[in-house]
């Protein structure tokens, strides 16, 4: 049984990948615009986790938020997913690597605990391996020691999750996956998550689904009839749809206006038949 995220959990997550030197300012801006959940990773190749910590510190100092207002999520990344800037000793066992990576994350983020700790991706695209089992047990120890409240896995297939369920007594609280409309918005993994009370976090909702953003069905829904004061944008329709089918969305927008629009999508109301139509628009 997956431990349940507190209710209400986060309702939109701001992602900090690929922002490099802009990471501190964009993290602070996202908090200023109203985001309360932040996703990062201790993977310097794609994330500047220390910069996220700088953005958090700036927001605390400016009185925008306190640590208690926030949901902070970071990840453990295996060495093949890293460049030379490793947050652990590559010669150490995987269990030690997890502990070292977590200690470094807490230092980067200036906190004593994160809210969610995620395995960035299994060691094999096909199977849940012994290496993954060792890492998962090490992550559980971090949780039991109070350094994270919840655990997650990312970039997983249904097969990974099924094998994980066989190998372990405990399933994750979160799955974080790239969400392709052509795969029914990751239908089979979402179904597994629903059955096991796992919260599904979806990323690349816009970037992986450009054809959907241009679809006439989406265009027809952007007209002001959805409880919004102005016409909704295609991006807002997609985020609203995602929330309607139980996806906790991520956005990595670098634009203040888009941050506002993405958060405003939480108050749009889509008719149930529109939700159904979008769910099968591409697959
Ligand atoms: N677990 C993993 O392996 C993994 C992989 C990828 C991502 N992630 C996480 O997910 C986060 C988000 O990544 P993502 O791939 O979903 O998004 P992303 O790469 O950050 O891209 C979002 C894109 O959508 C645009 N956008 C956002 N809101 C918009 C709006 N309202 N109107 C028009 N365009 C809009 C952005 O453009 P503007 O900047 O111009 O707004 C940007 O081009 C990452 O930062 C990271 O935290 C995790």
């Amino acid at each position: 049984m997956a431990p349940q995220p507190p209710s209400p959990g986060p309702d939109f997550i701001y992602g900090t990948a690929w922002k490099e030197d802009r990471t501190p300012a964009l993290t602070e801006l996202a908090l200023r615009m109203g985001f309360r959940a932040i996703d990062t990773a201790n993977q310097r190749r794609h994330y500047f986790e220390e910069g996220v910590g700088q953005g958090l510190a700036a927001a605390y100092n400016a009185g925008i938020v306190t640590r208690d207002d926030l949901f902070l999520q970071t990840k453990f990344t295996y060495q093949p997913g890293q460049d030379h800037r490793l947050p652990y000793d590559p010669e150490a066992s995987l269990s030690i690597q997890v502990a070292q990576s977590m200690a470094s994350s807490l230092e980067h983020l200036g906190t004593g605990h994160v809210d969610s700790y995620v395995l960035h991706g299994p060691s094999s695209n096909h199977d849940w391996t012994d290496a993954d089992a060792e890492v998962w047990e090490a992550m559980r120890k971090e949780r039991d020691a109070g350094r994270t409240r919840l655990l997650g896995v990312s970039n997983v297939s249904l097969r990974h999750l099924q094998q994980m369920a066989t190998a372990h007594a405990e399933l994750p609280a979160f799955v974080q996956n790239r969400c392709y409309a052509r795969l029914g918005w990751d239908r089979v993994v979402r179904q597994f998550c629903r059955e096991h009370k796992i919260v599904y976090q979806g990323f690349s909702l816009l970037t992986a689904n450009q054809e959907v953003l241009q679809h006439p069905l989406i265009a027809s829904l952007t007209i002001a009839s959805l409880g919004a004061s102005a016409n909704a944008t295609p991006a807002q329709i997609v985020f609203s749809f995602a929330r309607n089918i139980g996806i906790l969305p991520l956005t990595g927008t670098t634009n203040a206006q888009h941050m506002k629009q993405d958060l405003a999508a939480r108050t749009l109301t889509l008719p149930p038949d529109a939700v159904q139509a979008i769910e099968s628009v591409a697959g």
Side-chain angles (χ1 to χ4, degrees), residues 14-19 39-40 47 75 120 154-155 176-178 202-207 233 235-236 239 250-255 257-259 261-262:
Y14 185 70
T16 59
W18 311 300
K19 294 177 171 56
D39 176 80
T40 186
Y47 296 79
K75 311 185 191 86
H120 209 154
S154 182
N155 298 300
Q176 184 185 100
N177 265 6
R178 180 165 280 121
F203 64 84
S204 299
L205 285 160
L206 305 183
T207 48
T233 68
Q236 288 181 307
F239 285 132
L250 287 109
T251 178
T253 178
T254 55
N255 175 300
Q257 190 61 25
H258 289 166
M259 287 182 186
Q261 289 174 352
D262 293 356

Side-chain angles (χ1 to χ4, degrees), residues 112-146:
H113 76 282
V114 289
D115 298 281
S116 168
Y117 199 53
V118 174
L119 172 57
H120 209 154
S123 62
S124 146
N125 287 336
H126 304 290
D127 291 305
W128 183 259
T129 64
D130 290 347
D132 300 323
E134 180 180 345
V135 165
W136 185 243
E137 292 307 322
M139 289 171 62
R140 291 184 60 192
K141 281 200 184 120
E142 293 299 310
R143 192 267 321 279
D144 292 346

Side-chain angles (χ1 to χ4, degrees), residues 182-254:
R182 65 180 164 75
L183 300 177
W185 308 87
D186 213 5
R187 187 178 282 120
V188 295
V189 171
R190 287 191 297 109
Q191 170 78 22
F192 181 96
C193 289
R194 223 177 1 260
E195 286 165 8
H196 293 85
K197 300 197 175 356
I198 296 168
V199 173
Y200 180 98
Q201 303 179 4
F203 64 84
S204 299
L205 285 160
L206 305 183
T207 48
N209 302 307
Q210 288 301 318
E211 78 287 6
V212 172
L213 291 167
Q214 282 147 28
H215 197 280
L217 170 65
I218 301 291
S220 72
L221 289 165
T222 57
I223 298 152
S225 60
L226 308 168
S229 53
N231 284 359
T233 68
Q236 288 181 307
I237 300 291
V238 168
F239 285 132
S240 175
F241 154 75
R243 288 170 43 77
N244 263 281
I245 60 166
I247 294 175
L248 170 56
L250 287 109
T251 178
T253 178
T254 55

Side-chain angles (χ1 to χ4, degrees), residues 42-60:
N42 207 344
Q43 180 204 34
R44 189 60 191 85
R45 181 176 171 186
H46 293 304
Y47 296 79
F48 178 23
E49 194 182 50
E50 204 174 351
V52 174
Q54 291 164 10
L56 295 175
Y60 300 151

Side-chain angles (χ1 to χ4, degrees), residues 10-15 35 37-39 71 73 201 248-251:
D11 56 10
F12 216 132
I13 301 180
Y14 185 70
F35 284 93
I38 301 286
D39 176 80
F71 175 92
Q73 174 168 278
Q201 303 179 4
L248 170 56
L250 287 109
T251 178

